[in-house]
Each structure stands twice: as C-alpha cells, then as structure tokens.
C-alpha cells in the first residue's frame, strides 16, 4: 500500500487526526475551538490544518499488500512542520510519506512510506529554509531560501521524483530520488510561488517572471517559429512564459497548476491569466479550446458594462416621464458620465496605492524575516506608529532591546556582525578596484611619456 493518509492503510470517511505530529506541537484536548486554517485536496484524499497545528486527513487509501505496483494509489504527501510548539520563522522541518515508486518523497530510495519521515536535505540543521511545497502526480517541487541572512534575497527551486517528461527541469528526462536544484533558473531571483500539474511544474518570481517545464501540452508552450515542423515536445528545462505585454506579469501573487493547465494570479489579485488544456472551460476565458499562451480569465464579470446599461435605462425612464425631458435628460446623462469618469479615476488611484502598499509590505516582511527570523505580524508594528502615525526610531529601538529575550538579542548581534562583515568586504573590494584602476592609469601615462 502507499499509505498516503499517514496512518495504517485504512480508509477514512471523516477527518482523522494524524498523530505522528502530536509530539511537535499539535493538540487534541484543548479548550480553544478548532478552526480550519488551510485545506488541500489530492486525487482521492483531502487534508486540513487546524488552528492548533493539527493535520487532519480523510479519503481513500488501499490496504497493505506485498506489491507496490498498480500506480493508481500513488498519491504522496509533503508537509512543513514546526520543530517546536509555536512557529518561529525558519524552524520548519520537511516531512513526506505515501507513494514513492519514482522517488517523489525525496528520501533517497523508492520505498513507499506509511508514516511521515523527515526529508534529510531540509531537516532542522539544514542551511536552507523551505517555505513552499507542491506535489505533482509522481514528482515534488520545493522553494527554499538560505537561513543565514545574505546581501541578495534569492531563493531556489528543488525538484525530485519522476522526470520522464522533463517535469523536474534538470535538463534531462531522468528521475531523481533526492532533492536537486533547478539550476537553469536565473540566479538572484526570489520565487514567490510554485505548483505542479500531473507532469509539469511552474514558478513565478517577485518580479513577475513565470517559468514552466515538463509536458508541453500541459504547459501551453506553443511551438513558435524556432519549432517549425514540430507539434509536440516536452520542456526538460525552464522556459519563460510571455504575457500579452512582454515577459513579465505585474504584481504576481500565486501560480497554480491543474492536471494540464496553469493559472496565474497577478496585479495583486485583480487579474487572472490561464493557459494550457481548455477542456470543460477550465481556463475561464469563455472558450473550451486549448490555449498555448496566457489568456485573460473573464473575472470579474464585466460589471462596468452592466453599470452603463443600468444608467442608460434610468436615463430613458427619466426623460420619458418628464415633459421637457430632452434638456433634463441630457443634463442627467452628462452628470452621470462625469460621475462615472471620476469614479473610474478614483478606482485606478486606489489600485495603484494598493499595489504600492503591497510591495512595501512584502519588502518590510522580507527585512523583518531576515532580522528577526519570523514573519512580520500586526503585533510587531511599533506602538507609536499604530497610535499616532509618527515613528520615534530611537525610542522604539530602546524599547525593543529592553523587551527582547536573550535569543532575540543573540540573533540581532549575529545579523549585525554578518551585515558589518558584508559592508567591510564590499568596501575592501571597491578600494582594491580603485587601486588597480589607479595603477593602470599610472602605467598608461608613464608608457605614453616614454614613447615621446
């Protein structure tokens, strides 16, 4: 059996708490009402995480057998679990269990697991912190960044499992049993989201660049002029997806993959793009055909058109019921048009402000995580800034140091030393470059004098 429920090979018709993680912080007996914080669904199973950190699972799992063949029960699960009772930023440990016929658990072998096991490449002592996971049919993708603060906010994508359609992005169709980085992605980028289809993988960076690899038709990577004479072909390395206005999508939020299609949330959630297989209308663009390049999803509905129709109806009724309706109707129509124009400009300004606030929030969150080792929360905002809108940095710094425990002070000291060492290195490099330039200029001048 494949054990994707993480229990003893049983089927569960109602949610069952996965007891394997009780020792690392989950609780069953608590006076706090349970609340679902996150939910996921596989092919024939479902998962939910509660507000106490408990992992609940229900669905179908085959009974134990002597054979791992058969394939239809090959679902697998990858979970990020806090090493302590509370989440402290970068203390997540990566567990996996279930089907493993192709190494999709990242445990270095092809043996299926009934119970969660730690993926050693991303254990508590790893230099990498995993912040997002995604599972395909027989492969897995992870996003990580280094735990140690660095000058660049870069991240890496790791994949493992079945690779015969290029879904691992390693430049080959070979399968791998342990996590390996996707080396052909550009360096010094920060990936905000990853997801897997059945046989393809997609990622999006904070700058709005989208890359996909794997089964071509599942990606919607239409052969362009350079693929003349070829109708199909798998992408074994990352290929950048271009939108209508160029290679980048504005303010990306998330990328998700269906079995053979991809959806991108962009413009801070105000716009959706989709591409790939279009059967059953899954692309949401009003058509049921395959699209090999991103198309805009018809969301939200065309409310502006509906508004205009309603305004026109009101205008007609008003002019019909008033004797001298021509003049009054024209006046109302002009006023409505002017109001609509102002509302449209106000909405555009609001979206622009929301976009800027979102960028600032992301930037502040990254800085806060690098310094304090945990995501920024509302209670982390200084009291003076919450109450008055002004910020006394000297006073808040003193207050923060006074209230900090030893662990926080040690981390601050380490961050300061690392930052200072980085600045000194940069200054030294710049000084060496200046000295070399001075020497080269001096030698050029002396050689010129010798030629006279």
């Amino acid at each position: 059996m494949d054990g994707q429920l993480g229990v003893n090979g049983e089927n569960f018709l109602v949610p069952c708490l996965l007891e394997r993680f009780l020792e690392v912080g989950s609780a069953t007996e608590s006076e706090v009402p349970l609340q679902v914080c996150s939910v996921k669904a596989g092919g024939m199973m479902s998962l939910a995480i509660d507000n106490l950190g408990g992992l609940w699972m229900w669905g179908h799992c085959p009974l134990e057998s002597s054979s791992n063949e058969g394939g239809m029960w090959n679902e697998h699960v990858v979970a990020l679990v806090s090493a302590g009772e509370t989440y402290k930023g970068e203390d997540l440990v990566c567990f996996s269990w279930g089907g493993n016929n192709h190494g999709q658990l990242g445990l270095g072998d092809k043996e299926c697991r009934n119970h969660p096991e730690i993926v050693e490449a991303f254990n508590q002592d790893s230099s990498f912190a995993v912040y997002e996971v995604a599972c395909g049919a027989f492969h897995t993708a992870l996003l990580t960044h280094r735990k140690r603060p660095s000058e660049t906010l870069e991240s890496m994508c790791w994949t493992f499992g079945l690779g015969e359609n290029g879904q691992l992005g390693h430049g080959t169709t070979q399968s791998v049993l342990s996590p390996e980085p996707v080396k052909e992605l550009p360096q010094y980028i920060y990936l905000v989201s990853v997801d897997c289809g059945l046989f393809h993988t997609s990622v999006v960076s904070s700058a709005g660049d989208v890359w996909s690899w794997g089964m071509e038709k599942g990606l919607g990577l239409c052969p362009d002029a350079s693929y003349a004479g070829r109708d199909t072909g798998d992408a074994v390395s990352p290929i950048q997806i271009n939108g209508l206005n160029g290679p980048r999508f504005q303010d990306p939020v998330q990328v998700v993959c269906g079995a053979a299609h991809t959806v991108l949330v962009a413009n801070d959630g105000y716009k959706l793009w989709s591409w790939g297989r279009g059967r059953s209308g899954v692309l949401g663009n009003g058509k049921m055909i395959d699209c090999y390049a991103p198309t805009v999803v018809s969301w939200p509905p065309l409310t502006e058109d509906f508004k205009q129709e309603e305004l026109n109806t009101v205008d007609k009724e008003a002019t019909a019921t008033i004797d001298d309706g021509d003049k009054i109707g024209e006046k109302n129509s002009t006023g409505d048009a002017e109001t609509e124009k102002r509302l449209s400009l106000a909405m555009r300004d609001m979206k622009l402000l929301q976009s800027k606030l979102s960028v600032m929030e992301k930037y502040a969150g990254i800085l806060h995580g690098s310094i304090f080792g945990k995501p920024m929360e509302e209670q982390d905002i200084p009291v003076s800034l919450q109450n008055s809108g002004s910020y006394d940095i000297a006073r808040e710094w003193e207050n923060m140091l006074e209230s900090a425990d030893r662990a926080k002070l040690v981390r601050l000291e380490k961050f300061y030393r690392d930052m200072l060492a980085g600045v000194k290195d940069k200054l030294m490099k710049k000084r060496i470059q200046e000295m070399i330039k001075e020497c080269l200029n001096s030698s050029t001048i002396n050689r010129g004098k010798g030629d006279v």
Side-chain angles (χ1 to χ4, degrees), residues 213-234:
W213 56 92
M215 186 174 287
E216 187 178 60
K217 288 299 180 183
L219 299 174
L221 296 178
C222 181
D224 55 24
S226 62
Y227 290 92
R230 288 173 49 183
D231 295 326
T232 61
D234 296 336

Side-chain angles (χ1 to χ4, degrees), residues 5-7 16-24 26 28 55 116:
L5 293 190
V7 286
C16 172
L17 181 65
L18 187 61
E19 298 180 357
R20 171 66 177 83
F21 296 134
L22 291 181
E23 60 197 55
V24 291
S26 303
T28 53
L55 177 60

Side-chain angles (χ1 to χ4, degrees), residues 238-261:
I239 295 180
Q240 189 164 8
I241 306 297
N242 292 325
L244 296 177
N245 299 319
R248 289 186 170 176
F249 297 83
Q250 184 179 355
D251 301 320
V253 176
Q254 185 181 10
V255 64
V256 293
C257 299
H261 74 287

Side-chain angles (χ1 to χ4, degrees), residues 35-39 48-53:
Q35 180 183 17
V36 173
C37 299
S38 179
V39 66
I49 298 175
D50 64 36
N51 53 324
L52 298 178

